[in-house]
Amino acid sequence: STLSSSSAASDVYKRQALDLAHPNAVEDLSRIAAGAASLVNAMNPPYTKWPTEWPPLANTLLRTAEITGAGLVTVGNLYGYGRVDGPMREDQPFAPTGHKGATRAQMWTDALAAHTAGRVRATEIRGSDYFGPGGGRYSYLGYQVLRPAIAGKTVRLLFGNPDAAHSWTYRPDFSAAVAALATREPTSPTWGRPWHVPTAPPRSVLEALADLAEFTGQKQVNVSLMPGRTLLMRVVPILREFTETSHQFEHPYVVDSTLTQQTLGLTPTPWHTALAETVLSLGGRPAVPAQR
């Protein structure tokens, strides 16, 4: 796995690539990161290889933070909570439903232990399923739902209940939260605990599609389950990985970001603004006002 790092010198940024699987990865990264206030772990190994590739990558960042004295901000998710009844809060105990959630939970457990021992300053910022300009094919809302709807095609879902309430985290809000945490003073109480990205109130898939139809003036499209999805999720490796997280789309999946909003002074981008910007980035167009 590789890490791209930007280092500043006389206001000129130089991008560097580093192989984190190399035996000298900690030494090399410590050299690159010397003088940095914080390290941000925003990497994402292949979805099918999380249990094997995440632990050494996370350990490299953790050891580098310890050597350099930089804070460590990890970009996380909600998988570690497992299936939860009610809104998810940062004090929710871990109860992962599979190996991906267990991997992410262990990463934070290790980082928190190092922080508690006084070896590093660590925090984690967790978001729900993301969307927004540049979200790409791994944005479920953007790629699986909005993209075909904008094209007037039937939306075929891999998961069950399109009427279930679901929190969607807007990518620029994620970036703002990461920046706010990474630039905190070393003595700030924001270190040593997890946070949730400021996230707008939940919208189900059907509500999101209704909002899309209102914004573009299109007729609302049909929604159905993907044909053969059960078989596909058994035989296609990348789709099989979604089995342990399918509850996120079959039951209410709501994140509570009140603590982050109150403590960091951040607010989520209003849902309709975020949706409009996402739709425009996917080639959609706003409705033309009727002529009088």
Side-chain angles (χ1 to χ4, degrees), residues 153-217:
K153 299 178 181 178
T154 296
V155 174
R156 301 193 184 279
L157 301 177
L158 184 61
F159 307 106
N161 184 4
D163 206 27
H166 195 95
S167 291
W168 309 98
T169 297
Y170 191 47
R171 292 180 73 244
D173 293 338
F174 219 138
S175 300
V178 169
L181 289 172
T183 54
R184 291 281 158 158
E185 294 295 325
T187 57
S188 172
T190 55
W191 299 103
R193 60 158 303 134
W195 302 88
H196 286 166
V197 179
T199 299
R203 302 293 285 171
S204 70
V205 167
L206 292 183
E207 288 174 326
L209 288 172
D211 295 337
L212 168 67
E214 181 179 1
F215 176 69
T216 61

